[in-house]
Every structure is written in structure tokens, then in C-alpha cells.
Amino acid sequence: VEEIKRHPDVPNEVRHRLRVRRYLILECKVVLLIGRPQSSHSEVAVHLPLLPLAKIAVAQLRNQAAILSDLKHSGARIRHYVPTFYFEGELAGRPYFVTEAMRGISVDLPIPPLRRVIEEAADLLIQFHQDTLVVGTVDDEIFKRLFLAPLSELSTALGSGIEDLREIEYYLREKVMGQRIPLVWEHGDFYHENLLVDPETHKITGVLDWEMSRREGLPLLDLLCLFARSEVLFAKKEFPNVFTDKILS
């Protein structure tokens, strides 16, 4: 907290009399929400990587820091919905990351307003992808990053069916190499739990968790994630069943 008070990148109006208001324990990190005692909302969020996944979490949080900084200086409409990154610090040899705490509440229950939130999120996402659209020609680097890397991760996770994955790789290589394809700025984990909304109007106020984001990704993956995770919530189905029943069918 003292480091936050002293740091020049943190606005003057949020530096004084700060205290931890609450904390969230997530998969790879703890998030401390810090604000002034007399205020009804938090001012800054401190992201602390968790052991034993600290190395992975630090890499993801540094990626998020770069993404947030670039988005704030972009012309994309979504820049108004992302938190400001303030600085990276270190405590007892462990790095931490300080961002603006966006106002709003998270929605993780299948309440009636959530469907409207998801519709607004889809519109915001489509606009974001339109704002950041570029066209690229698939070469070895793009193929490795966008097609081969996910297959490699899947191969590691499954531990079997390697020949089937190789057939998919050969098929994709034949179909896409040398083709011009649209590339968009990808969030990487875009779904309702990473959105903040106004508690009264249920309008989106923030988009969080940009750790998995990349500047030139494949279109529709974020939208697919949004709809698939929403179906898991509303239909109370496991994701593999949603994938086979709603996406592949």
C-alpha cells in the first residue's frame, strides 16, 4: 500500500488513506482490492502471483500489463472498458502488478439480466474485432502460432490420439498455408465472469483478465468462448457436451 501511495503513475486522488477492502483468490493469483475507508468502491487492484504457478502467472500478468497499456493508447472502443495499468513492483522477491479497479459487479449466476449482458458483450466484442482487424498471409510463423501451438497443447493434455492430431495438422497446413486470413486482437478468455456491470442498469462497465490476450489472433474464438460458457451456465451442461451438441452439430 505504501508503494502505491508513493508511485507517480497512480493518480493523486487515489493515493491517500488506502486500505485493503477485500481480496479474491483465483487459479493463479490473488487480487487485493484497495480503496479509501470512506469510499464505497475500490481504487486499485493488486495482482499477486500464486505459488507453485508463479512463473506462469508472472508471464501472463506481464502480458496483461503490455496489453492494457497498448489498448489504452489504441483507437478501439473497448479501451474505455479496460483498467489502466499503473506499475509492476516487487515484495519479498515476488513481483506484483497494480491496475485500476474498475467499477461494477461481476455476474456469475444465470439471472435474467445476464442474457442482456451477454448480448451487449457480443456487440462490444464484434466492434473490438472490427476496430483491430488486419489481414495477414499464413506463413510458417503464423501457422505455428495460431494453428500448431494449440494442437501441441492438446497433444500434451490428451497424451493419446497423436496420429489423429497429426492428420489435423496436415489438413490445416494444406488448407491455410499461403492464404490471406483476417486477424483480430483476441481477449483469450472472454465470457461473463470476466465482465463487470453496473448493478442498477446492468450495462457493462469493464472487461477484465487480459492475461491470455494476443494482438493478432483468429476471429470468432472469443465469441465462441462467450456463447459456449454461457450455455454451460444456463443449460447446466459440461463444456464437452456443449461443444459437441451446440458447436460441432
Side-chain angles (χ1 to χ4, degrees), residues 3-4 7 9-10 85-89 96-99:
E3 179 66 21
I4 293 171
H7 202 279
D9 290 342
V10 178
F85 172 72
Y86 290 137
F87 69 94
E88 175 182 343
Y96 63 89
F97 303 81
V98 181
T99 69

PDB file of all heavy atoms in Angstrom, residues 3-4 7 9-10 85-89 96-99:
ATOM      1  N   GLU A   3       3.844   1.579  -1.222  1.00  0.00           N
ATOM      2  CA  GLU A   3       4.430   1.740  -2.545  1.00  0.00           C
ATOM      3  C   GLU A   3       3.427   2.356  -3.516  1.00  0.00           C
ATOM      4  O   GLU A   3       3.764   3.201  -4.340  1.00  0.00           O
ATOM      5  CB  GLU A   3       4.920   0.384  -3.077  1.00  0.00           C
ATOM      6  CG  GLU A   3       5.522   0.420  -4.470  1.00  0.00           C
ATOM      7  CD  GLU A   3       6.825   1.202  -4.550  1.00  0.00           C
ATOM      8  OE1 GLU A   3       7.470   1.384  -3.507  1.00  0.00           O
ATOM      9  OE2 GLU A   3       7.183   1.618  -5.666  1.00  0.00           O
ATOM     10  N   ILE A   4       2.175   1.950  -3.408  1.00  0.00           N
ATOM     11  CA  ILE A   4       1.125   2.509  -4.261  1.00  0.00           C
ATOM     12  C   ILE A   4       0.969   4.004  -3.993  1.00  0.00           C
ATOM     13  O   ILE A   4       0.847   4.812  -4.918  1.00  0.00           O
ATOM     14  CB  ILE A   4      -0.206   1.769  -4.026  1.00  0.00           C
ATOM     15  CG1 ILE A   4      -0.105   0.319  -4.507  1.00  0.00           C
ATOM     16  CG2 ILE A   4      -1.360   2.477  -4.732  1.00  0.00           C
ATOM     17  CD1 ILE A   4      -1.280  -0.537  -4.118  1.00  0.00           C
ATOM     18  N   HIS A   7       3.909   5.881  -5.685  1.00  0.00           N
ATOM     19  CA  HIS A   7       4.230   5.706  -7.102  1.00  0.00           C
ATOM     20  C   HIS A   7       3.629   6.833  -7.946  1.00  0.00           C
ATOM     21  O   HIS A   7       2.442   7.154  -7.825  1.00  0.00           O
ATOM     22  CB  HIS A   7       3.713   4.353  -7.612  1.00  0.00           C
ATOM     23  CG  HIS A   7       4.436   3.901  -8.838  1.00  0.00           C
ATOM     24  ND1 HIS A   7       4.127   4.365 -10.092  1.00  0.00           N
ATOM     25  CD2 HIS A   7       5.471   3.038  -8.996  1.00  0.00           C
ATOM     26  CE1 HIS A   7       4.922   3.795 -10.972  1.00  0.00           C
ATOM     27  NE2 HIS A   7       5.752   2.984 -10.333  1.00  0.00           N
ATOM     28  N   ASP A   9       2.772   6.998 -11.052  1.00  0.00           N
ATOM     29  CA  ASP A   9       1.783   6.649 -12.068  1.00  0.00           C
ATOM     30  C   ASP A   9       0.381   6.482 -11.496  1.00  0.00           C
ATOM     31  O   ASP A   9      -0.589   6.406 -12.249  1.00  0.00           O
ATOM     32  CB  ASP A   9       2.191   5.361 -12.791  1.00  0.00           C
ATOM     33  CG  ASP A   9       3.402   5.564 -13.689  1.00  0.00           C
ATOM     34  OD1 ASP A   9       3.695   6.730 -14.016  1.00  0.00           O
ATOM     35  OD2 ASP A   9       4.060   4.568 -14.046  1.00  0.00           O
ATOM     36  N   VAL A  10       0.272   6.381 -10.179  1.00  0.00           N
ATOM     37  CA  VAL A  10      -1.041   6.260  -9.545  1.00  0.00           C
ATOM     38  C   VAL A  10      -1.607   7.665  -9.348  1.00  0.00           C
ATOM     39  O   VAL A  10      -0.939   8.531  -8.785  1.00  0.00           O
ATOM     40  CB  VAL A  10      -0.935   5.536  -8.188  1.00  0.00           C
ATOM     41  CG1 VAL A  10      -2.304   5.455  -7.519  1.00  0.00           C
ATOM     42  CG2 VAL A  10      -0.354   4.141  -8.381  1.00  0.00           C
ATOM     43  N   PHE A  85      -3.251   0.147 -16.439  1.00  0.00           N
ATOM     44  CA  PHE A  85      -2.132  -0.494 -15.746  1.00  0.00           C
ATOM     45  C   PHE A  85      -1.243   0.596 -15.176  1.00  0.00           C
ATOM     46  O   PHE A  85      -0.815   1.505 -15.888  1.00  0.00           O
ATOM     47  CB  PHE A  85      -1.331  -1.379 -16.708  1.00  0.00           C
ATOM     48  CG  PHE A  85      -0.065  -1.916 -16.089  1.00  0.00           C
ATOM     49  CD1 PHE A  85      -0.123  -2.905 -15.122  1.00  0.00           C
ATOM     50  CD2 PHE A  85       1.176  -1.408 -16.457  1.00  0.00           C
ATOM     51  CE1 PHE A  85       1.045  -3.385 -14.524  1.00  0.00           C
ATOM     52  CE2 PHE A  85       2.338  -1.888 -15.873  1.00  0.00           C
ATOM     53  CZ  PHE A  85       2.269  -2.873 -14.904  1.00  0.00           C
ATOM     54  N   TYR A  86      -0.937   0.502 -13.863  1.00  0.00           N
ATOM     55  CA  TYR A  86      -0.134   1.527 -13.206  1.00  0.00           C
ATOM     56  C   TYR A  86       1.348   1.165 -13.165  1.00  0.00           C
ATOM     57  O   TYR A  86       2.176   1.867 -13.725  1.00  0.00           O
ATOM     58  CB  TYR A  86      -0.658   1.779 -11.795  1.00  0.00           C
ATOM     59  CG  TYR A  86      -2.008   2.465 -11.759  1.00  0.00           C
ATOM     60  CD1 TYR A  86      -3.002   2.055 -10.879  1.00  0.00           C
ATOM     61  CD2 TYR A  86      -2.295   3.513 -12.619  1.00  0.00           C
ATOM     62  CE1 TYR A  86      -4.241   2.679 -10.842  1.00  0.00           C
ATOM     63  CE2 TYR A  86      -3.536   4.146 -12.596  1.00  0.00           C
ATOM     64  CZ  TYR A  86      -4.505   3.720 -11.705  1.00  0.00           C
ATOM     65  OH  TYR A  86      -5.732   4.340 -11.684  1.00  0.00           O
ATOM     66  N   PHE A  87       1.685   0.045 -12.513  1.00  0.00           N
ATOM     67  CA  PHE A  87       3.108  -0.303 -12.426  1.00  0.00           C
ATOM     68  C   PHE A  87       3.279  -1.730 -11.923  1.00  0.00           C
ATOM     69  O   PHE A  87       2.348  -2.345 -11.392  1.00  0.00           O
ATOM     70  CB  PHE A  87       3.855   0.675 -11.505  1.00  0.00           C
ATOM     71  CG  PHE A  87       3.494   0.561 -10.043  1.00  0.00           C
ATOM     72  CD1 PHE A  87       4.240  -0.230  -9.181  1.00  0.00           C
ATOM     73  CD2 PHE A  87       2.407   1.262  -9.518  1.00  0.00           C
ATOM     74  CE1 PHE A  87       3.913  -0.331  -7.832  1.00  0.00           C
ATOM     75  CE2 PHE A  87       2.075   1.170  -8.180  1.00  0.00           C
ATOM     76  CZ  PHE A  87       2.831   0.366  -7.330  1.00  0.00           C
ATOM     77  N   GLU A  88       4.509  -2.248 -12.095  1.00  0.00           N
ATOM     78  CA  GLU A  88       4.921  -3.530 -11.527  1.00  0.00           C
ATOM     79  C   GLU A  88       5.890  -3.260 -10.384  1.00  0.00           C
ATOM     80  O   GLU A  88       6.805  -2.455 -10.519  1.00  0.00           O
ATOM     81  CB  GLU A  88       5.607  -4.407 -12.584  1.00  0.00           C
ATOM     82  CG  GLU A  88       6.165  -5.712 -12.029  1.00  0.00           C
ATOM     83  CD  GLU A  88       6.900  -6.557 -13.065  1.00  0.00           C
ATOM     84  OE1 GLU A  88       6.723  -6.308 -14.276  1.00  0.00           O
ATOM     85  OE2 GLU A  88       7.665  -7.457 -12.651  1.00  0.00           O
ATOM     86  N   GLY A  89       5.668  -3.906  -9.258  1.00  0.00           N
ATOM     87  CA  GLY A  89       6.552  -3.766  -8.109  1.00  0.00           C
ATOM     88  C   GLY A  89       7.060  -5.127  -7.649  1.00  0.00           C
ATOM     89  O   GLY A  89       6.812  -6.152  -8.289  1.00  0.00           O
ATOM     90  N   TYR A  96       4.593  -8.035  -8.158  1.00  0.00           N
ATOM     91  CA  TYR A  96       3.156  -7.796  -8.111  1.00  0.00           C
ATOM     92  C   TYR A  96       2.822  -6.713  -9.126  1.00  0.00           C
ATOM     93  O   TYR A  96       3.697  -5.955  -9.568  1.00  0.00           O
ATOM     94  CB  TYR A  96       2.689  -7.411  -6.706  1.00  0.00           C
ATOM     95  CG  TYR A  96       3.260  -6.117  -6.186  1.00  0.00           C
ATOM     96  CD1 TYR A  96       2.627  -4.896  -6.408  1.00  0.00           C
ATOM     97  CD2 TYR A  96       4.446  -6.114  -5.445  1.00  0.00           C
ATOM     98  CE1 TYR A  96       3.152  -3.706  -5.930  1.00  0.00           C
ATOM     99  CE2 TYR A  96       4.980  -4.924  -4.954  1.00  0.00           C
ATOM    100  CZ  TYR A  96       4.333  -3.732  -5.200  1.00  0.00           C
ATOM    101  OH  TYR A  96       4.854  -2.561  -4.730  1.00  0.00           O
ATOM    102  N   PHE A  97       1.540  -6.624  -9.505  1.00  0.00           N
ATOM    103  CA  PHE A  97       1.111  -5.761 -10.596  1.00  0.00           C
ATOM    104  C   PHE A  97      -0.086  -4.947 -10.132  1.00  0.00           C
ATOM    105  O   PHE A  97      -1.048  -5.502  -9.591  1.00  0.00           O
ATOM    106  CB  PHE A  97       0.762  -6.597 -11.825  1.00  0.00           C
ATOM    107  CG  PHE A  97       1.892  -7.460 -12.305  1.00  0.00           C
ATOM    108  CD1 PHE A  97       2.171  -8.676 -11.690  1.00  0.00           C
ATOM    109  CD2 PHE A  97       2.696  -7.049 -13.351  1.00  0.00           C
ATOM    110  CE1 PHE A  97       3.222  -9.469 -12.107  1.00  0.00           C
ATOM    111  CE2 PHE A  97       3.746  -7.829 -13.785  1.00  0.00           C
ATOM    112  CZ  PHE A  97       4.013  -9.038 -13.161  1.00  0.00           C
ATOM    113  N   VAL A  98      -0.036  -3.645 -10.361  1.00  0.00           N
ATOM    114  CA  VAL A  98      -1.068  -2.742  -9.862  1.00  0.00           C
ATOM    115  C   VAL A  98      -1.834  -2.141 -11.033  1.00  0.00           C
ATOM    116  O   VAL A  98      -1.236  -1.568 -11.948  1.00  0.00           O
ATOM    117  CB  VAL A  98      -0.468  -1.620  -8.996  1.00  0.00           C
ATOM    118  CG1 VAL A  98      -1.570  -0.706  -8.455  1.00  0.00           C
ATOM    119  CG2 VAL A  98       0.350  -2.207  -7.849  1.00  0.00           C
ATOM    120  N   THR A  99      -3.150  -2.300 -11.000  1.00  0.00           N
ATOM    121  CA  THR A  99      -4.015  -1.748 -12.034  1.00  0.00           C
ATOM    122  C   THR A  99      -5.141  -0.949 -11.380  1.00  0.00           C
ATOM    123  O   THR A  99      -5.368  -1.036 -10.165  1.00  0.00           O
ATOM    124  CB  THR A  99      -4.654  -2.847 -12.907  1.00  0.00           C
ATOM    125  OG1 THR A  99      -5.602  -3.581 -12.120  1.00  0.00           O
ATOM    126  CG2 THR A  99      -3.603  -3.790 -13.472  1.00  0.00           C
TER     127      THR A  99
END
